[in-house]
Amino acid sequence: MNMQNAQAVVIGQVVSTVLYNRGRGVVFAIHGEQKPASVGSLSGVVSYGGNATFDIAFECGKISRALPESILHGRQWSIFPEIKTAEEVQHVVDHAMAEEHREAEKHEAEEQQYRAECQRFKTAPEYSALSQDKKGAVQVTGNIRKELKAKFPGVKFSVRKRSYDSISVNWTDGPTEEQVREITVKYRDSYFDGMQDMSVSCSSPFNEIYGGVGYVFIDRDYSDAMKQQAIGILMIKYDHLLDGEDISVARYNTGELWRIRQDYFGHGHGIHGEINKILAVITA
């Protein structure tokens, strides 16, 4: 579609866009010769043509520079007949410039703080045993293993690389999942955002020095001795509900106990689910 009726834009022209929450703005500079009659679009999506570019200051405090003429005349922009005076234009530009400067200073301060935190972590004595090599999941695997060994001596952990971006941690008895997660959570440097259908970075200064991955899976198991202890507690508490049913570690391990007394402990839970609850309590 060719936009034969498109008019040339002037300094002070009020425009607006739905993009990036910019809203209303004013054109304060035009670069090159305008050719609005050459502007068109393909299927109402891809814009083409034009020659000039435009600098626009927005009332929200943002600035767009060198916006192509084809984009300004596109579907996501509106051009209004209202023309601001030179003083009004300058007021909007000054406000936007001040906001731009403030944002730049804020960004620089955050960058300086980030770099300072990186340096602090690099020399932090509590992490002196950890690797600072840039080896991705391999580095994270080794560092988590070292931290867990130091924090929970005597507990055997299995810390394995599952993929380039994920680690799994498994152990029997010992600390709770919450206690282990206090160590592993700082190694996560990204997460999946279902709303955007993409991975989003949440990297920290700690990750810059000691590594990070997107996923750290933790899974605590229980020894047969601990399961037997939980079964003993269950049999004392609910003996009247068992009707001589064989409640054993072997049946727990094979998953048979899920179907026992679902009428009392809830569908999908049964005796197995109640044993899990007892295990969580006695091993907390």
Side-chain angles (χ1 to χ4, degrees):
M1 180 180 67
N2 203 329
M3 301 182 65
Q4 297 291 339
N5 297 323
Q7 299 296 312
V9 173
V10 299
I11 301 294
Q13 190 108 40
V14 175
V15 300
S16 75
T17 180
V18 297
L19 298 174
Y20 315 116
N21 295 318
R22 293 291 173 90
R24 282 169 55 92
V26 60
V27 175
F28 68 92
I30 301 173
H31 310 282
E33 180 185 356
Q34 297 183 61
K35 296 182 178 180
S38 69
V39 174
S41 64
L42 299 175
S43 302
V45 178
V46 180
S47 298
Y48 63 85
N51 178 68
T53 61
F54 304 84
D55 295 342
I56 301 168
F58 294 90
E59 294 172 356
C60 67
K62 301 294 184 180
I63 295 178
S64 290
R65 291 181 172 83
L67 183 75
E69 187 173 4
S70 60
I71 300 298
L72 181 59
H73 287 281
R75 297 183 62 179
Q76 294 173 314
W77 287 76
S78 297
I79 301 173
F80 300 101
E82 180 183 359
I83 308 297
K84 296 286 188 181
T85 66
E87 291 77 10
E88 290 172 327
V89 171
Q90 193 61 50
H91 176 75
V92 176
V93 171
D94 288 346
H95 170 67
M97 291 285 192
E99 284 296 303
E100 190 175 61
H101 180 69
R102 185 183 65 80
E103 285 294 325
E105 287 187 329
K106 178 183 176 182
H107 179 73
E108 177 59 27
E110 290 173 347
E111 284 291 314
Q112 290 182 4
Q113 183 179 9
Y114 190 90
R115 291 192 294 269
E117 278 292 282
C118 288
Q119 186 59 38
R120 183 180 71 81
F121 276 115
K122 185 178 293 187
T123 58
E126 64 266 34
Y127 300 123
S128 60
L130 303 185
S131 167
Q132 298 186 13
D133 296 334
K134 303 295 184 181
K135 294 183 178 179
V138 174
Q139 176 190 9
V140 173
T141 299
N143 283 343
I144 289 179
R145 188 179 293 120
K146 290 176 183 178
E147 284 208 73
L148 291 174
K149 183 177 181 180
K151 180 70 174 180
F152 307 108
V155 180
K156 185 177 181 180
F157 290 93
S158 171
V159 185
R160 297 179 294 109
K161 171 187 172 184
R162 292 176 55 165
S163 71
Y164 78 97
D165 198 35
S166 66
I167 304 294
S168 65
V169 181
N170 304 85
W171 73 101
T172 300
D173 298 340
T176 64
E177 290 190 355
E178 289 73 19
Q179 289 173 314
V180 170
R181 190 175 289 110
E182 287 178 1
I183 289 176
T184 63
V185 69
K186 61 182 178 290
Y187 287 95
R188 285 198 61 188
D189 65 359
S190 63
Y191 65 93
F192 183 78
D193 187 334
M195 295 294 291
Q196 301 185 64
D197 193 28
M198 62 182 291
S199 180
V200 179
S201 173
C202 58
S203 183
S204 68
F206 180 89
N207 300 137
E208 290 290 333
I209 307 303
Y210 299 110
V213 292
Y215 305 92
V216 180
F217 301 98
I218 62 175
D219 183 26
R220 182 197 197 191
D221 199 3
Y222 300 100
S223 65
D224 285 352
M226 193 64 69
K227 295 170 189 174
Q228 187 60 60
Q229 183 180 340
I231 289 173
I233 294 172
L234 176 131
M235 294 183 71
I236 292 173
K237 187 175 181 181
Y238 298 110
D239 181 64
H240 61 289
L241 298 174
L242 302 180
D243 296 326
E245 187 79 51
D246 177 25
I247 309 300
S248 65
V249 171
R251 295 190 75 192
Y252 173 92
N253 288 340
T254 59
E256 294 179 48
L257 299 181
W258 284 113
R259 61 182 177 82
I260 307 300
R261 293 312 306 261
Q262 290 192 13
D263 59 321
Y264 185 85
F265 295 108
H267 181 71
H269 296 280
I271 292 295
H272 193 117
E274 189 62 25
I275 292 173
N276 286 344
K277 292 179 182 179
I278 296 172
L279 282 168
V281 171
I282 66 178
T283 58

